[in-house]
Amino acid sequence: MDPVRVDDRIFQIAGPRITGPYDCAVYLVNTGEHLTLVDAGSGFGFEKTVKNIEDLGFNPKSLGHIILTHCHFDHMGAAPFFRYY
């Protein structure tokens, strides 16, 4: 499944049906100033998550923030990967 446009600035870019069964719903928010992720996924679907960001026309290296809603691995496992991406 492809990323899902929630509205003009919010996209679901990862989740069980998008990147794999171990990822939570991950959202990309375009604030106009920078990109923000709400949760990061497990890490198992990291490459597909990055590809989804690119397919939407955004540069994953321009992520300004990652908001982790809580510390379950399906929500925060990929956070370190984005730090060094």
Side-chain angles (χ1 to χ4, degrees), residues 3 6 8 12-13 22 27 30-31 33 37-39 41 43-44 46-47 52-55 66 69 75-76 83 85:
V6 176
D8 290 341
Q12 183 182 356
I13 59 167
Y22 300 110
Y27 294 92
N30 178 9
T31 68
E33 294 179 35
L37 283 185
V38 178
D39 287 321
F44 291 104
F46 177 74
E47 291 84 12
N52 288 342
I53 294 170
E54 294 170 339
D55 288 350
I66 299 176
T69 59
H75 292 257
M76 50 75 77
R83 182 176 184 190
Y85 183 79

Side-chain angles (χ1 to χ4, degrees), residues 18-78:
I18 298 173
T19 53
Y22 300 110
D23 287 330
C24 70
V26 177
Y27 294 92
L28 178 71
V29 180
N30 178 9
T31 68
E33 294 179 35
H34 52 73
L35 299 175
T36 298
L37 283 185
V38 178
D39 287 321
S42 67
F44 291 104
F46 177 74
E47 291 84 12
K48 175 69 172 150
T49 302
V50 169
K51 182 179 181 322
N52 288 342
I53 294 170
E54 294 170 339
D55 288 350
L56 290 168
F58 299 111
N59 182 349
K61 294 181 188 230
S62 66
L63 286 171
H65 305 284
I66 299 176
I67 299 169
L68 301 175
T69 59
H70 60 282
C71 291
H72 288 162
F73 91 95
D74 58 326
H75 292 257
M76 50 75 77

